């Protein structure tokens, strides 16, 4: 009977495709919106995650997340270095700067200044060139996605010409030479990310009095991180967090202190409601259209349980196909935007969540649609 | 409940003092008023009477799709009042075949799939069910259309498919509700002849509700109802013509 149930659904082409389309849309939006949100969230902590060697991040106590820069006095670096348990401490600058492209266009960028001697705090992955090339005069490293994207200059005939090693741009009206391209992701605002050395930041942002955004700390082996954090807070008055704490703090800021989570959540919920309603309504209509035949089956000896199982199978099958199509489209979308300016991160949790949503939607629709069948008296088939 | 089998010692259908009403209070409408009826195994009985006289209600009760209020109704040796809902489902599934006025073939299923339904409900595997459905369709002159959809057939052909569906699982009782009302005279005649010939094999019982006086000649017994009771019951005197060669 289950085979016949599926044949009944599949041969009703119009409604069948309508249900599949609505469920595909629902699965797509249920996976795509959280994936973009998660992508943005991962960008919010990308800076922290990309510097694995730093055990602690030291900063102004009022800093709320990784892009929130409240500069410190350079002298604070030496005070932190003096705390017991600290193996090394290096300066790190995080701020914005305006870049002028060779074609005359301006673009706001994120500028990171890393330790001149050790290059700690540099990008996790270099696509072209080496991070040590920053020793070259006026050297900067630009993210590869922006180099061929927003930073690409417009040449004759509206052709986009990507920046590469050897290209130049102006940062605050000062010449900068691109000595490498890194594979790091853009930040939450999808701005280009430029790395240079900490001392060269002072050159590019000479008007700023204080430039020390964070102090990156490596702990001596075997020391208690919590104790060092307490000591830094006690002796310097600065805030210190472990990598995990700072990452969570930055995520929480975007989750709870901005409207991004709410906006994406509402978007996903509305998509679920719209797609789900269309799918449920179409399937309900399909069941109503076949009510007469379900009545015939009931008269011929099909139990209500069997009829519900047939209806549930029809809807679950449509749900599985719709889910597959939807997730397939989202995956394709993810492949297309990979490495670009669109933040996107599809993981098993999101796929599982979308699957659960479609499963619940399918079961709910099957329950709703089977109601008139359950209430149908088999004698109704003799009433014409 | 065990599989339903006929008992030659008793009637296929036995009703005593059968009552059934619809609605409650002042809106209560009696449909059957203490009806008595016996139908034997192997008998083809036709229920006739004006609209609203209770024919379809009686047929629904006998087919175990509607509960009666009071009285006795034994069908194929089972007292319907004593059967649970699940027992009635099983009785219908195993022992009763249905032919409806509007054919009620599932439009998205092929003829073979439609005819397979009673076998599948009884747990027969899909391949065997299709084979047996094909054989039954072949017997009814539709062996070359097993993969056609009902919409591709004429009314007479669709009713033959419905008859195949009603008989494929070998029921002891076949109930038919106005089986010729959607057919022209010639087709209706042919369908009734076929129904009688095929359905009455193996000592099956046929109960047909009809308004069509042209088919009464096929009945072993004509039961005339009026206002919820049986007015008279008699045998048909008309000879049964052979119309097999005129199948629609």
């Amino acid at each position: 009977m289950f085979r016949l149930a599926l044949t009944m659904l599949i041969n009703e082409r119009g409604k069948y495709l309508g249900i599949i389309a609505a469920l595909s849309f629902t699965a797509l939006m249920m996976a795509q919106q959280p994936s973009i949100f998660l992508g943005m969230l991962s960008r919010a902590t990308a800076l922290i995650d990309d510097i694995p060697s730093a055990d602690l991040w030291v900063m102004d106590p009022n800093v709320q997340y990784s892009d929130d820069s409240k500069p410190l006095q350079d002298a604070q670096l030496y005070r932190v270095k003096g705390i017991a348990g600290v193996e090394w401490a290096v300066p790190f600058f995080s701020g914005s700067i305006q870049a002028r492209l060779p074609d005359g266009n301006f673009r706001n960028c994120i500028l990171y200044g890393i330790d001149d001697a050790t290059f700690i705090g540099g990008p996790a992955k270099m696509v072209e060139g080496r991070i040590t090339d920053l020793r070259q005069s006026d050297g900067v490293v630009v993210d590869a996605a922006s180099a061929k994207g927003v930073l690409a200059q417009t040449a004759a005939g509206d052709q986009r010409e990507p920046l590469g090693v050897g290209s130049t741009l102006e940062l605050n009206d000062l010449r900068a030479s691109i000595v490498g391209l890194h594979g790091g992701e853009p930040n939450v605002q999808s701005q280009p990310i430029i790395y240079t050395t900490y001392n060269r930041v002072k050159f590019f942002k000479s008007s700023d009095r204080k430039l020390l955004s964070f102090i990156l700390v490596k702990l001596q082996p075997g020391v208690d991180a919590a104790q060092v954090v307490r000591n830094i807070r006690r002796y310097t008055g600065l805030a210190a967090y472990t990598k995990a704490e700072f990452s969570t703090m930055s995520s929480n800021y975007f989750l709870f202190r901005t409207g991004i989570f709410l906006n994406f959540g509402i978007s996903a919920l509305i998509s679920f409601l719209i797609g789900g309603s269309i799918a449920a309504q179409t399937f309900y209509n399909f069941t109503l259209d076949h009510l007469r035949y379900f009545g015939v089956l009931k008269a011929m000896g099909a139990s209500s349980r069997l009829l519900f199982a047939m209806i549930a199978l029809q809807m679950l099958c449509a749900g599985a196909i719709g889910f597959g199509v939807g997730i397939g489209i989202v995956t394709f979308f993810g492949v297309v935007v990979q490495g670009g300016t669109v933040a996107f991160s599809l993981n098993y949790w999101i796929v599982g969540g979308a699957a659960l949503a479609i499963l619940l939607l399918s079961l709910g629709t099957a329950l709703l649609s089977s109601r008139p069948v359950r209430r149908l008296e088999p004698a109704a088939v003799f009433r014409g | 409940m065990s599989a339903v089998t006929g008992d030659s010692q008793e009637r296929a259908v036995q009703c005593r003092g059968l009552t059934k009403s619809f609605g409650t209070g002042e809106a209560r409408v009696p449909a059957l008023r203490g009806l008595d009826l016996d139908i034997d195994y192997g008998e083809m009985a036709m229920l006739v009477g004006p609209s609203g006289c209770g024919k379809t209600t009686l047929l629904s009760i006998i087919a175990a799709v509607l509960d009666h209020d009071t009285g006795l109704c034994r069908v194929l040796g089972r007292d319907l009042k004593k059967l649970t809902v699940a027992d009635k489902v099983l009785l219908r599934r195993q022992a009763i075949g249905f032919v409806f006025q509007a054919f009620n073939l599932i439009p998205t299923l092929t003829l073979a799939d439609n005819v397979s339904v009673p076998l599948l409900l009884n747990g027969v595997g899909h391949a065997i069910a299709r084979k047996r459905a094909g054989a039954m369709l072949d017997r009814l002159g539709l062996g070359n259309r097993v993969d056609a959809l009902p919409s591709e057939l004429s009314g007479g052909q669709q009713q033959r498919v419905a008859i195949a569906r009603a008989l494929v699982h070998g029921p002891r009782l076949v109930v038919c509700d106005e089986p010729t009302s959607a057919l022209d005279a010639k087709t209706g005649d042919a369908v009734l002849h076929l129904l009688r010939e095929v359905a009455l094999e193996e000592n099956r019982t046929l109960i047909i509700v009809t308004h069509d006086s042209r088919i009464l000649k096929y009945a072993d017994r004509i039961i005339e109802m009026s206002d919820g009771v049986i007015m008279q019951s008699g045998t048909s005197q008309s000879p049964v013509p052979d119309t097999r060669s005129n199948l629609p």
Side-chain angles (χ1 to χ4, degrees):
Chain A
M1 289 304 291
F2 295 122
R3 194 168 171 164
L4 294 192
L6 292 179
T7 308
M8 281 169 73
L9 176 67
I10 292 166
N11 283 353
E12 192 79 49
R13 285 289 158 78
K15 286 198 172 65
Y16 173 62
L17 292 177
I19 294 165
I20 297 291
L23 288 168
S24 301
F25 169 78
T26 308
L28 187 152
M29 296 304 285
M30 291 296 293
Q32 193 244 20
Q33 290 294 299
S35 293
I36 290 180
F37 175 73
L38 193 67
M40 291 179 71
L41 204 60
S42 72
R43 286 184 178 184
T45 61
L47 174 66
I48 306 163
D49 300 334
D50 284 351
I51 308 177
S53 54
D55 295 324
L56 298 182
W57 285 67
V58 181
M59 65 204 77
D60 184 281
N62 293 318
V63 168
Q64 300 181 78
Y65 59 99
S66 58
D67 285 346
D68 184 18
S69 179
K70 293 189 170 57
L72 311 170
Q73 298 278 5
D74 276 357
Q76 296 285 23
L77 173 65
Y78 302 104
R79 296 182 69 188
V80 170
K81 280 183 175 176
I83 302 291
V86 172
E87 184 167 327
W88 50 251
V90 293
F92 188 85
F93 170 81
S94 170
S96 62
I97 194 164
Q98 197 165 56
R100 185 168 186 267
L101 307 180
D103 57 10
N105 287 322
F106 287 90
R107 181 72 63 178
N108 275 326
C109 304
I110 297 293
L111 181 66
Y112 292 143
I114 60 176
D115 184 47
D116 294 58
T118 63
F119 299 108
I120 288 169
K125 183 183 171 192
M126 289 295 292
V127 175
E128 198 178 338
R130 291 170 303 169
I131 193 66
T132 49
D133 292 340
L134 280 178
R135 292 199 175 102
Q136 294 175 27
S137 175
D138 305 328
V140 293
V141 171
V142 177
D143 71 275
S146 299
K148 61 184 176 186
V150 294
L151 290 180
Q153 55 182 316
T154 309
D158 280 345
Q159 291 288 312
R160 302 284 285 172
E161 201 172 280
L163 295 181
V165 173
S167 303
T168 59
L169 41 79
E170 286 181 17
L171 300 178
N172 266 356
D173 294 331
L174 296 165
R175 183 178 176 278
S177 297
I178 297 173
V179 296
L181 300 177
H182 70 86
E185 288 188 350
N187 72 343
V188 176
Q189 289 89 24
S190 296
Q191 290 171 314
I193 304 232
I194 300 174
Y195 281 87
T196 190
T197 57
Y198 183 73
N199 281 319
R200 195 167 294 128
V201 171
K202 291 177 181 174
F203 170 67
F204 287 127
K205 293 183 75 80
S206 53
S207 58
D208 290 14
R209 198 165 57 87
K210 294 190 290 183
L211 292 170
L212 183 60
S213 308
F214 300 103
I215 299 168
L216 308 181
V217 171
K218 178 73 177 177
L219 297 173
Q220 289 170 354
V223 298
D224 179 14
Q227 183 59 48
V228 177
V229 165
R230 279 195 296 275
N231 287 341
I232 290 173
R233 287 174 183 168
R234 185 175 170 194
Y235 295 118
T236 66
L238 300 175
Y241 304 101
T242 62
K243 206 175 107 174
E245 285 172 346
F246 191 38
S247 182
T248 304
M249 197 171 105
S250 295
S251 297
N252 287 347
Y253 177 83
F254 281 96
L255 274 174
F256 305 116
R257 304 290 293 275
T258 69
I260 297 173
F261 176 67
L262 196 63
N263 289 337
F264 276 95
I266 289 171
S267 180
L269 182 66
I270 289 175
S271 304
F272 176 76
L273 291 176
I274 293 173
S277 301
I278 294 170
Q281 180 67 49
T282 311
F283 187 76
Y284 186 77
N285 286 343
F286 165 79
T287 309
L288 285 187
D289 288 349
H290 287 75
L291 196 57
R292 174 191 199 90
Y293 307 109
F294 283 118
V296 169
L297 293 177
K298 212 168 190 179
M300 287 163 58
S303 63
S304 292
R305 190 181 296 179
L306 174 64
L307 294 178
F308 171 72
M310 289 171 67
I311 290 169
L313 177 73
Q314 288 173 332
M315 191 58 205
L316 285 171
C317 184
I321 295 169
F323 171 75
V325 172
I327 291 296
I329 294 171
V330 173
T331 307
F332 180 71
F333 175 82
V335 170
V336 169
V337 301
Q338 194 177 27
T341 53
V342 178
F344 187 88
S345 177
L346 180 65
N347 64 19
Y348 289 117
W349 286 102
I350 291 174
V351 174
L356 184 66
I358 295 293
L359 177 68
L360 292 177
L361 174 66
S362 301
L363 287 176
T365 302
L367 265 175
L368 184 75
S369 302
S370 68
R371 197 159 172 256
V373 176
R374 283 199 310 273
R375 295 162 67 119
L376 184 68
E377 288 293 328
V381 292
F382 286 129
R383 294 187 202 126
Chain B
M1 186 183 156
S2 60
V4 180
T5 54
D7 181 347
S8 59
Q9 298 303 309
E10 51 182 311
R11 314 267 189 182
V13 176
Q14 190 177 28
C15 300
R16 295 288 178 270
L18 197 64
T19 69
K20 176 67 184 176
S21 298
F22 295 102
T24 54
E26 289 185 4
R28 188 178 177 85
V29 178
L32 300 178
R33 304 164 184 263
L35 179 144
D36 296 331
L37 174 69
D38 289 316
I39 300 174
D40 288 327
Y41 285 103
E43 192 176 17
M44 184 178 193
M46 290 196 189
L47 295 172
V48 297
S51 294
C53 70
K55 305 186 296 290
T56 300
T57 301
L58 177 60
L59 189 74
S60 300
I61 291 170
I62 292 170
V65 294
L66 185 68
D67 294 333
H68 60 281
D69 294 337
T70 61
L72 171 77
C73 185
R74 289 179 70 84
V75 174
L76 304 174
R78 304 277 167 178
D79 183 349
L80 295 185
K81 207 69 178 173
K82 292 180 180 171
L83 297 187
T84 63
V85 172
D87 288 338
K88 285 182 184 171
V89 166
L90 203 56
L91 174 70
R92 295 199 300 267
R93 189 186 297 169
Q94 293 181 335
I96 301 177
F98 292 84
V99 179
F100 304 99
Q101 180 178 356
F103 320 135
N104 282 338
L105 300 173
I106 299 171
T108 47
L109 299 183
T110 63
L111 303 192
D113 284 339
N114 266 289
V115 176
S116 299
V117 167
L119 296 170
L120 297 172
L121 287 172
N122 281 293
V124 177
H126 188 262
I128 297 171
R130 266 189 74 92
K131 196 174 173 185
R132 283 171 61 181
M136 180 55 79
L137 282 166
D138 191 40
R139 195 154 172 227
L140 293 175
L142 292 167
N144 57 342
R145 307 296 304 274
V146 289
D147 290 322
L149 292 173
S151 58
E152 297 167 20
L153 304 183
S154 68
Q157 288 173 319
Q158 287 191 50
Q159 195 59 298
R160 278 152 62 194
V161 178
I163 291 168
R165 183 176 66 179
L167 300 175
V168 72
H169 57 307
R172 302 303 319 278
L173 171 66
V174 179
V175 294
C176 310
D177 182 34
E178 304 275 9
T180 59
S181 68
L183 306 176
D184 60 61
K186 188 179 172 189
T187 308
D189 209 42
V191 164
L192 245 293
H193 180 82
L194 192 63
L195 187 60
R196 182 177 173 88
E197 184 184 282
V198 179
L200 288 184
E201 288 174 354
E202 300 170 20
N203 214 28
R204 282 196 190 100
T205 303
L206 252 86
I207 304 174
I208 300 172
V209 164
T210 185
H211 278 109
D212 188 355
S213 57
R214 294 168 304 185
I215 65 168
L216 295 180
K217 59 194 173 193
Y218 292 98
D220 294 322
R221 193 147 59 98
I222 299 164
I223 300 161
E224 189 180 344
M225 290 182 67
S226 179
D227 204 17
V229 293
I230 291 171
M231 300 300 289
Q232 55 182 321
S233 169
T235 54
S236 168
Q237 299 301 312
S238 305
V240 178
D242 184 2
T243 55
R244 190 174 169 76
S245 58
N246 298 325
L247 288 177

